[in-house]
Amino acid sequence: MKYLALGLLLMASSAWSQVEIEKPWARATAPGSKIAAGYMIVRNQSASADRLVGATSPAAARVETHVHIKDGEIMRMREVKGYDVPAKGRLELKPGGAHLMFVDIKQPFKEGDRIPVVLSFEKAKEMKVEFHVGRLAAPPAHHKH
Ligand SMILES: [Cu+2]
């Protein structure tokens, strides 16, 4: 009975959700780091634009939506109130650009971990996604938070 209910729920959500998430991944964290960055591609099949308005994860106290802005020679991160996903288009979160910021992570993100995240869209509503933790890369020297 439980499985049947879940199956119906999945069918129902995929029927009206025209947003797909591709390659969700997060960066492994350095020892002692309390933040981690997450990236993905959001594809919108719908003829109307949507908007990613926020995210939550049990792995972090909160998940913020950030962009990088160039401040002279320094790249800084800034919090924004979500991202637009164009109709029949895509939004790419990638290193050096827009990203999800996991703040106050409960434990380090290690390569191979899977981080559960719930994404909230204005129209597509909530989507559950698992972010795969990739390799730790040394951040660029001029990258300041
Ligand atoms: Cu950030």
Side-chain angles (χ1 to χ4, degrees):
M1 197 55 211
K2 203 174 170 185
Y3 292 108
L4 180 65
L6 184 67
L8 289 173
L9 199 73
L10 289 173
M11 271 166 59
S13 67
S14 61
W16 48 256
S17 171
Q18 294 191 290
V19 166
E20 281 171 15
I21 309 300
E22 277 174 27
K23 298 188 198 116
W25 66 283
R27 194 97 84 180
T29 56
S33 177
K34 298 300 283 176
I35 58 168
Y39 311 101
M40 63 184 166
I41 296 168
V42 181
R43 250 178 229 290
N44 183 9
Q45 318 281 7
S46 151
S48 53
D50 205 339
R51 191 171 167 79
L52 175 61
V53 290
T56 58
S57 171
R62 60 183 192 281
V63 181
E64 298 178 352
T65 46
H66 280 193
V67 292
H68 272 103
I69 48 165
K70 211 167 176 211
D71 180 8
E73 288 303 296
I74 299 166
M75 289 290 279
R76 289 183 192 280
M77 293 197 277
R78 203 181 57 161
E79 191 177 3
V80 292
K81 287 189 180 140
Y83 313 105
D84 288 320
V85 189
K88 301 273 179 199
R90 70 209 276 275
L91 160 78
E92 187 170 5
L93 275 62
K94 60 180 182 211
H99 57 276
L100 294 181
M101 193 101 258
F102 297 87
V103 180
D104 274 337
I105 54 175
K106 311 247 162 91
Q107 55 190 39
F109 285 15
K110 291 197 196 77
E111 190 174 350
D113 284 356
R114 283 156 190 257
I115 310 297
V117 175
V118 177
L119 303 169
S120 299
F121 290 89
E122 225 164 60
K123 299 199 180 88
K125 305 299 175 197
E126 296 202 327
M127 290 185 73
K128 284 188 183 152
V129 180
E130 272 191 336
F131 279 63
H132 296 213
V133 178
R135 202 160 291 167
L136 170 67
H142 54 266
H143 181 138
K144 290 220 175 94
H145 194 246

